[in-house]
Amino acid sequence: MPVISDPSEFNEDELYVDLRATLGLPLFLKCEGFNFAGSIKMKAATEMVDAAERDGVLRPGSVLVESSSGNLGVALSVIAASRGYGFLCVTDARCNPATRRMMEALGSLVHVVGEPALHGGLLGARIAYVRAVCASDDRYVWLNQYANEGNWRAHYRTTAPAIARRFPHLDVLFVGAGTTGTLMGCARWFWQWRRRVRIVAVDSVGSVTFGGPPSPRKIPGLGMGIRPPLLDASYVDDVVHVEEPDTVRVCRRLAARGFLFGGSTGTVVSGASTWMARHGRRDLTSVAIAPDLGERYLDTVHSPGWTAGVRGEDTLGSDTLAALSRPA
């Protein structure tokens, strides 16, 4: 085990879960929840911050500001605290309460956007708030994970090569689509190195990423209210959309077998199961990327009183929202 002085120096690339016994699926889960900040977003956060420092965009006294549904916010909170920057995370009510508390414990400010924008929904409102904050004071630096090429380059450099080393005869890779940084980084790597790997993107119903109609979503992590600027769909072979009740069912089924994963993982595993049922091949070597673990979802996906629409209920009450924190 390496000795580190900066949390961004630690990445866990070698832990996989075999779901053949658990769910009867010929699928391996690449578990990214053991990175230092608890998710795959630590890789993108490190890549983007390092580039901003090299380019002189981040300087002593700078305050990072970013729109995030949660995991990137935690990763940037860790990096900001370790390197002496301030950090303001702009999120919305879908962000898990535990995630917000983690960011605040690390010294970050969290602003929760309450009303969706006319165009772009809650994500559009978050981005508008970020732009307003940056215009108000030049100390604020927006890395812009939605358009920052460091987002996909992080996975081109680390995630995809790690999967290829472990599974040299990989047939199918399932990747959840949020900002599409992980998706694009992995897809580009396998394309450039001429690996015959089928890239399957898994998205949430209600996301507009691949042209579907927008609709409300409660589970953070995957799906977008605007088309991701990083997306180049020519690298994607197939797309599977997953309903949120199916995400919840898969998360709870995995937990019942001892594997506590987050909502994004439940969505990706559900999508992989759907894709495999359609294609009918059980001899494939298949990998899905699990972005995080499930501890941050104990108040939501893994809570019996939180159904995310399984029974048509809206159980995200105002009492789950933390008080808004605004920049000084």
Side-chain angles (χ1 to χ4, degrees):
M1 181 64 67
V3 176
I4 63 172
S5 59
D6 185 327
S8 64
E9 295 174 358
F10 178 80
N11 286 313
E12 176 53 66
D13 269 324
E14 299 303 329
L15 184 58
Y16 295 82
V17 171
D18 185 345
L19 292 183
R20 287 175 294 185
T22 304
L23 298 182
L25 288 176
L27 182 68
F28 293 89
L29 274 182
K30 187 179 191 307
C31 301
E32 294 283 352
F34 297 96
N35 287 300
F36 201 88
S39 82
I40 196 169
K41 289 292 188 178
M42 190 63 171
K43 296 177 178 179
T46 301
E47 188 86 12
M48 292 188 295
V49 170
D50 285 350
E53 289 178 337
R54 287 194 303 269
D55 295 342
V57 175
L58 275 175
R59 301 177 297 274
S62 291
V63 179
L64 288 164
V65 58
E66 186 58 83
S67 162
S68 170
S69 62
N71 281 337
L72 182 70
V74 174
L76 288 174
S77 293
V78 169
I79 294 174
S82 67
R83 301 192 189 185
Y85 302 117
F87 176 51
L88 167 65
C89 181
V90 181
T91 189
D92 58 58
R94 293 170 298 183
C95 181
N96 295 314
T99 302
R100 295 198 294 271
R101 293 194 295 269
M102 289 181 68
M103 289 188 280
E104 290 166 347
L106 289 161
S108 300
L109 294 176
V110 180
H111 175 78
V112 182
V113 169
E115 295 296 327
L118 182 60
H119 301 289
L122 288 168
L123 176 57
R126 280 160 38 185
I127 292 174
Y129 187 86
V130 170
R131 292 186 188 279
V133 167
C134 291
S136 70
D137 192 323
D138 60 9
R139 292 178 301 168
Y140 287 100
V141 175
W142 181 26
L143 297 175
N144 190 3
Q145 64 163 326
Y146 309 105
N148 192 318
E149 293 196 350
N151 190 343
W152 68 260
R153 283 178 178 154
H155 304 290
Y156 182 94
R157 289 196 312 103
T158 62
T159 309
I163 293 170
R165 285 193 301 270
R166 178 63 178 80
F167 297 94
H169 303 293
L170 181 66
D171 295 303
V172 187
L173 178 64
F174 297 94
V175 189
T179 64
T180 68
T182 307
L183 176 65
M184 288 293 95
C186 291
R188 280 190 168 97
W189 191 92
F190 282 106
W191 178 85
Q192 179 169 336
W193 292 101
R194 301 295 190 270
R195 300 294 184 95
R196 294 182 178 179
V197 174
R198 196 163 189 86
I199 303 296
V200 180
V202 182
D203 200 9
S204 301
V205 170
S207 167
V208 305
T209 297
F210 293 97
S215 63
R217 292 171 287 109
K218 293 181 181 177
I219 299 175
L222 299 185
M224 294 275 284
I226 60 175
R227 182 178 171 85
L230 294 177
L231 176 64
D232 182 344
S234 68
Y235 288 96
V236 178
D237 296 296
D238 293 302
V239 179
V240 180
H241 285 89
V242 175
E243 297 274 4
E244 289 194 324
D246 293 326
T247 293
V248 174
R249 291 187 188 102
V250 169
C251 285
R252 294 180 183 178
R253 187 177 174 191
L254 285 166
R257 298 301 298 271
F259 296 106
L260 192 69
F261 285 106
S264 298
T265 299
T267 302
V268 173
V269 173
S270 178
S273 177
T274 298
W275 189 92
M276 290 178 180
R278 290 173 183 168
H279 290 78
R281 288 183 58 190
R282 309 297 291 180
D283 59 341
L284 296 172
T285 299
S286 304
V287 171
I289 297 176
D292 60 6
L293 300 179
E295 293 93 334
R296 299 174 191 178
Y297 301 80
L298 295 178
D299 295 325
T300 55
V301 170
H302 291 288
S303 173
W306 192 90
T307 59
V310 171
R311 290 185 291 273
E313 300 173 358
D314 183 356
T315 56
L316 280 179
S318 59
D319 59 327
T320 65
L321 300 181
L324 302 186
S325 298
R326 300 181 185 276

